[in-house]
Amino acid sequence: MTADRSLSPDDAVVAIRSFPRRFRSLLAAPGDDDDRPFDPDEVGRRIGPEGRSAADHLVAADGVLSLLGDTVQQARSEDDPVVDAAFADLGSAAATAEPGGAIGDLLDRFAGTAAFAADRVDGVPSDDWGRNVRVDGDTTDHRLLDLAQDAVAAVAAHLRAAQRTVEAVR
């Protein structure tokens, strides 16, 4: 997972707001395009060749955006923020969370989390994007913008992995 360092805060907001629609189109669609309708709950929970289900990727993406929203909020309210160590490895953020509930419920929760994160990112003044933020356990300073870019890249990677999984298990 490589973050796009040219991604602006405005682009990050657009991407975050688009993720729920993109996951929903992948997981809630009845499969009309190929005349093979599928049960979203069944397909969403099938384990793909990479060892995870599309629901696993959705829950992990939810964890990343939740972490981003909380981090932005924390970074704006503290003078010397030290944020959750999960930012050191966003690829596995929330990887152990169980995707309980129906796919529709997971998608609804993800939409709420994305709205929360997008609102937090959208509310950051331009001057604050260059603020240094430390990740717990990491001696390197990161800009707040770097963390937002990393989170967008991680969610995009989960979306691509979910797409590969759905293609493989259908």
Side-chain angles (χ1 to χ4, degrees), residues 38-49 51-57 103 165-166 168-170:
F38 68 89
D39 177 353
D41 286 306
E42 179 188 338
V43 171
R45 296 193 186 289
R46 287 184 192 163
I47 303 300
R52 295 176 80 181
S53 70
D56 292 331
H57 288 291
I103 293 294
T165 300
V166 168
V169 301
R170 286 190 67 200

Side-chain angles (χ1 to χ4, degrees), residues 12-87:
V13 170
V14 170
I16 293 166
R17 291 195 194 282
S18 77
F19 287 134
R21 175 187 48 76
R22 295 165 68 190
F23 267 102
R24 190 170 299 276
S25 71
L26 174 68
L27 292 171
D32 292 336
D33 58 330
D34 60 6
D35 294 327
R36 293 183 312 163
F38 68 89
D39 177 353
D41 286 306
E42 179 188 338
V43 171
R45 296 193 186 289
R46 287 184 192 163
I47 303 300
E50 297 172 15
R52 295 176 80 181
S53 70
D56 292 331
H57 288 291
L58 175 61
V59 169
D62 186 83
V64 170
L65 290 185
S66 179
L67 181 62
L68 175 62
D70 291 344
T71 296
V72 169
Q73 192 168 338
Q74 178 185 354
R76 294 200 54 219
S77 65
E78 296 177 9
D79 290 334
D80 188 22
V82 178
V83 300
D84 195 305
F87 254 107

Side-chain angles (χ1 to χ4, degrees), residues 148-161:
Q149 292 166 336
D150 291 346
V152 168
V155 174
H158 281 298
L159 178 62
R160 287 189 302 274

Side-chain angles (χ1 to χ4, degrees), residues 91-135:
S92 65
T96 59
E98 287 295 318
I103 293 294
D105 294 340
L106 295 176
L107 289 165
D108 291 344
R109 184 178 78 201
F110 181 65
T113 302
F116 166 76
D119 289 346
R120 294 301 174 270
V121 170
D122 199 24
V124 175
S126 298
D127 294 345
D128 283 356
W129 284 114
R131 285 191 68 193
N132 283 334
V133 177
R134 286 185 298 134
V135 175

